[in-house]
Amino acid sequence: MGAILPTPPIGLTPLSAYAAEYDWLFFGMCLLSLCFMVPIAVAIVYFAVKYHKDSKADRSERISRRSRLILESSWAGIPFLLTLGVFVWAGKMYVEWATPPKGALEIAVIGKQWMWKFQHPGGQREINTLHVPVGRPVKLVMTSQDVIHSLFLPALRIKMDVIPGRYTHLWFTATKTGTFRLECAEYCGTDHSRMGGSLIVMTSADYQSWLAHAGTAISLAAAGAEVYRKNGCSGCHGANSTVHAPTLGGLFGTMVRTADGREVLADEGYIRDCITLPDKNRVAGFPPIMPDFSGTISEADLIKLIAYIRSLPPGARP
Ligand code: HEC
Ligand SMILES: [Cu+2]
């Protein structure tokens, strides 16, 4: 694992074990390419000169079938095994990149022309600056309010598209404190080049005091309760409702059977789709009457609503 690897000698200092390992993979591939490219280039030039049309080089020697077989299988086989090794290493890193650990600190990210909006679980909001604690896994749950953006954190060697109508993820565990760059890596209009800011990694204690001073006493989930009430969700999903609608408490993370017979994981994206694209996943055993709230609930409110639904204990019907 990356934790035991020293920092590679060149380039921007990596800010996580993943980033350090990423650098080794990158330098390893460069080195491997050089190891093949240089001898092959030298051999091409050497043989081109030695056997050019008018040269008197001895061309009589014939290579035996057996040596040809050995030669050909080794120049096909050795690079194949080496690149397979690169593939396995990169595949392992991809899985690591794509699998946020359970219990990571979740921060909501909304990209818009031309700024980054961040919201912490306690409701603290910030623009173009992201404060995170050191040594703790952080998971970014990201969406866009307009066009496609891409959040790029060079020191962490991670980047992910931020897409309207969908949630994408990034996660990392920063290994040292400091201020690092944060950028949009997808051309998104006039001020794309200015759509950046900073990632500020703080000690756990500094982060806690930053949270305390950043205002907003109301958590994301509590703010979501207000969105839930305002939009009349309880009219159907509440305990006193006469409408036959599913219980939302305990829904998050379970598998839902849809009316057309599919099994869908109830993650952020699923709940979002239920609210903004209800026809996509009608729940089996219920009348298909969940209204379409697309366009009426903002991205920021959707994030709060999802936090609220996640916070409900199993069986709760508020
Ligand atoms: C008119 C009644 C009604 C209202 C209002 C309503 N829902 Fe629904 N909702 C339903 C019904 C019925 C279903 C199940 C059938 C379906 O998917 O259409 C459902 C399904 C859902 C699901 C999927 C549940 C599951 O078990 O997979 C979620 C999440 C959801 N609603 C959230 C909301 C939220 C949030 C609001 C308020 C913004 C809301 N609903 C407003 C009737 C309603
Ligand atoms: Cu952008």
Side-chain angles (χ1 to χ4, degrees):
M1 276 286 297
I4 53 166
L5 293 173
T7 301
I10 23 177
L12 178 65
T13 318
L15 182 54
S16 64
Y18 173 86
E21 191 175 350
Y22 181 102
D23 287 356
W24 280 108
L25 177 62
F26 181 77
F27 293 125
M29 279 175 67
C30 289
L31 200 70
L32 193 63
S33 306
L34 274 178
C35 289
F36 280 97
M37 197 185 81
V38 172
I40 289 173
V42 168
I44 287 174
V45 173
Y46 173 78
F47 287 122
V49 171
K50 181 168 180 196
Y51 293 109
H52 79 272
K53 195 163 133 272
D54 301 326
S55 83
K56 307 251 175 318
D58 176 15
R59 292 174 166 85
S60 63
E61 198 181 331
R62 284 289 168 264
I63 187 168
S64 77
R65 232 184 104 79
R66 200 181 120 78
S67 356
R68 202 165 62 216
L69 203 72
I70 293 172
L71 266 176
E72 285 182 359
S73 52
S74 51
W75 74 51
I78 293 169
F80 172 71
L81 291 177
L82 287 170
T83 46
L84 199 67
V86 170
F87 171 77
V88 169
W89 186 2
K92 186 215 122 219
M93 289 196 65
Y94 175 79
V95 170
E96 193 178 325
W97 173 87
T99 326
K102 292 228 159 23
L105 170 67
E106 279 190 30
I107 297 178
V109 181
I110 300 177
K112 62 165 281 197
Q113 288 165 324
W114 287 279
M115 63 174 79
W116 293 106
K117 300 196 274 189
F118 301 101
Q119 192 159 21
H120 298 254
Q124 294 83 355
R125 271 184 289 179
E126 44 183 340
I127 289 178
N128 289 345
T129 309
L130 173 60
H131 290 80
V132 297
V134 72
R136 174 158 176 211
V138 174
K139 176 183 174 188
L140 305 176
V141 181
M142 316 188 291
T143 190
S144 164
Q145 198 172 305
D146 39 48
V147 300
I148 300 180
H149 302 278
S150 177
L151 186 67
F152 181 27
L153 297 161
L156 291 157
R157 316 287 190 264
I158 55 173
K159 176 168 76 175
M160 183 66 203
D161 281 2
V162 176
I163 302 170
R166 242 202 247 187
Y167 294 116
T168 53
H169 305 129
L170 269 183
W171 81 272
F172 58 88
T173 306
T175 45
K176 61 174 192 281
T177 57
T179 301
F180 306 89
R181 278 185 307 146
L182 167 165
E183 275 164 36
C184 180
E186 178 69 53
Y187 180 66
C188 58
T190 316
D191 281 342
H192 161 69
S193 59
R194 296 208 204 132
M195 188 169 163
S198 29
L199 169 73
I200 300 178
V201 184
M202 316 170 93
T203 62
S204 195
D206 284 351
Y207 177 68
Q208 290 309 326
S209 76
W210 178 81
L211 285 178
H213 290 96
T216 320
I218 174 165
S219 73
L220 263 191
E226 182 57 22
V227 180
Y228 186 85
R229 200 189 54 73
K230 263 204 332 241
N231 286 281
C233 310
S234 59
C236 294
H237 291 282
N240 301 324
S241 162
T242 51
V243 178
H244 182 45
T247 303
L248 299 182
L251 167 67
F252 194 87
T254 60
M255 296 299 292
V256 178
R257 174 161 287 280
T258 62
D260 53 7
R262 285 169 299 130
E263 289 270 337
V264 189
L265 173 68
D267 57 5
E268 297 99 351
Y270 169 82
I271 295 180
R272 186 209 159 83
D273 287 347
C274 289
I275 302 168
T276 60
L277 279 173
D279 278 329
K280 185 174 163 192
N281 297 308
R282 289 291 179 192
V283 185
F286 292 94
I289 52 166
M290 169 75 198
D292 181 349
F293 289 92
S294 55
T296 60
I297 303 183
S298 70
E299 287 304 333
D301 282 356
L302 280 170
I303 289 168
K304 292 174 193 158
L305 205 44
I306 293 168
Y308 174 60
I309 292 174
R310 282 180 73 167
S311 74
L312 295 172
R317 298 182 64 93

